[in-house]
Amino acid sequence: MDCGILTSKSILLLLSLIFWAAGAALAYVGSYVIKSYNSFEDFVSNKYSVIPAAIIICVAVVMFVIGIVGCCATLRESKVGLGFFLLIIMIIFAAEVTAFVFGFIYRGRIKGDLEKSMNSVFQKYDGVNSETHAVDYLQFQMECCGVNNITDWTAISWFVQHNNSVPHSCCKANATQCTGQLSQLDLLNTQGCEAKLEQMLQDVLSYAMLVILAFAIIKLFGMLSICVIACRSKKNDYQPLYA
């Protein structure tokens, strides 16, 4: 058997196995991105930010099925099957490139979206509404206080109405003596939440983009392998891999 074809077939079989593993990995990444954004959805005004994650999950579902098709088409030497496999790889490749572009575009818009939405949510803090729960959750999870820093609370009506104190969610972990008074700065988190949340979302999106890029490169090798088989195979030398 021609060495190039043998190598191409081996790559396609390996690619089929990778499809299953990649499908599971992409499903996890997509779910993780959506979960991370949903945890702080009150502060993310642009709901289209989860489009890359949604695309990833859809691709993952398709990849489980295509892995089976690719494996059978390669072993049975089906030109129709390989042609279908190539078409599907190209579609998934295009979807991954689209998700990568969406991620790259939104990555540069995170800061502006956060600054606008966070200021609005913090101003609505009253101790009981949904915005209050969102702010408390953010400050507790991120160990931060205020949008830019702790002094932002001095411009919020809740601060004045509660004896010039910040919410207890600004208190450091295990600071049982913390009352929220600015005189207890050693017991309070003073760093703003915007920078921390922005960094977290940037990291999550960057991680997702790296995974997308890696799998897109794998698809590219798969398409090249199918082209090698289509161009170099002949009826006599296109033998089963297991022959």
Side-chain angles (χ1 to χ4, degrees):
M1 181 186 297
D2 185 277
C3 181
I5 295 179
L6 175 61
T7 301
S8 297
K9 284 185 177 182
S10 300
I11 290 177
L12 288 178
L13 285 178
L14 178 62
L15 182 62
S16 297
L17 296 176
I18 291 177
F19 261 96
W20 296 326
L26 286 176
Y28 170 78
V29 171
S31 300
Y32 180 72
V33 172
I34 291 177
K35 180 180 178 182
S36 297
Y37 274 77
N38 284 344
S39 296
F40 305 103
E41 62 180 348
D42 291 296
F43 305 102
V44 182
S45 59
N46 190 344
K47 302 305 179 183
Y48 295 105
S49 59
V50 297
I51 287 181
I55 294 176
I56 291 175
I57 293 178
C58 291
V59 169
V61 173
V62 174
M63 287 176 73
F64 281 110
V65 178
I66 300 308
I68 298 176
V69 174
C71 185
C72 294
T74 302
L75 291 175
R76 293 172 61 86
E77 304 176 359
S78 170
K79 291 184 179 180
V80 175
L82 288 173
F84 178 71
F85 194 31
L86 175 61
L87 177 63
I88 294 300
I89 290 178
M90 292 177 65
I91 293 175
I92 294 178
F93 179 80
E96 289 174 338
V97 171
T98 301
F100 184 85
V101 172
F102 266 108
F104 185 81
I105 293 174
Y106 184 70
R107 193 170 182 271
R109 298 173 55 184
I110 289 179
K111 182 176 178 61
D113 288 341
L114 283 181
E115 185 174 3
K116 182 188 302 182
S117 58
M118 289 184 72
N119 282 321
S120 175
V121 173
F122 270 74
Q123 286 295 333
K124 296 177 182 177
Y125 190 98
D126 65 2
V128 294
N129 59 16
S130 60
E131 286 82 3
T132 295
H133 298 305
V135 169
D136 285 337
Y137 179 79
L138 173 68
Q139 293 188 146
F140 179 76
Q141 291 292 325
M142 293 286 158
E143 297 183 350
C144 56
C145 189
V147 178
N148 298 301
N149 55 59
I150 193 172
T151 60
D152 290 340
W153 279 102
T154 59
I156 298 176
S157 58
W158 191 91
F159 176 82
V160 178
Q161 295 169 0
H162 291 78
N163 196 27
N164 294 336
S165 63
V166 297
H168 285 177
S169 55
C170 284
C171 296
K172 292 181 178 179
N174 301 320
T176 56
Q177 302 301 318
C178 178
T179 62
Q181 293 292 324
L182 294 185
S183 58
Q184 298 179 315
L185 283 179
D186 56 322
L187 301 179
L188 296 168
N189 295 308
T190 58
Q191 186 176 351
C193 297
E194 181 186 344
K196 287 193 171 185
L197 182 56
E198 178 189 354
Q199 186 60 53
M200 189 275 287
L201 295 179
Q202 290 274 14
D203 291 344
V204 169
L205 202 54
S206 296
Y207 171 64
M209 290 170 65
L210 285 175
V211 172
I212 293 172
L213 182 61
F215 286 122
I217 293 175
I218 293 175
K219 306 300 185 306
L220 182 60
F221 278 108
M223 289 187 286
L224 291 176
S225 297
I226 294 177
C227 290
V228 168
I229 294 176
C231 293
R232 300 182 60 182
S233 64
K234 295 180 181 179
K235 186 174 181 180
N236 293 331
D237 63 5
Y238 190 71
Q239 303 170 8
L241 184 61
Y242 44 80

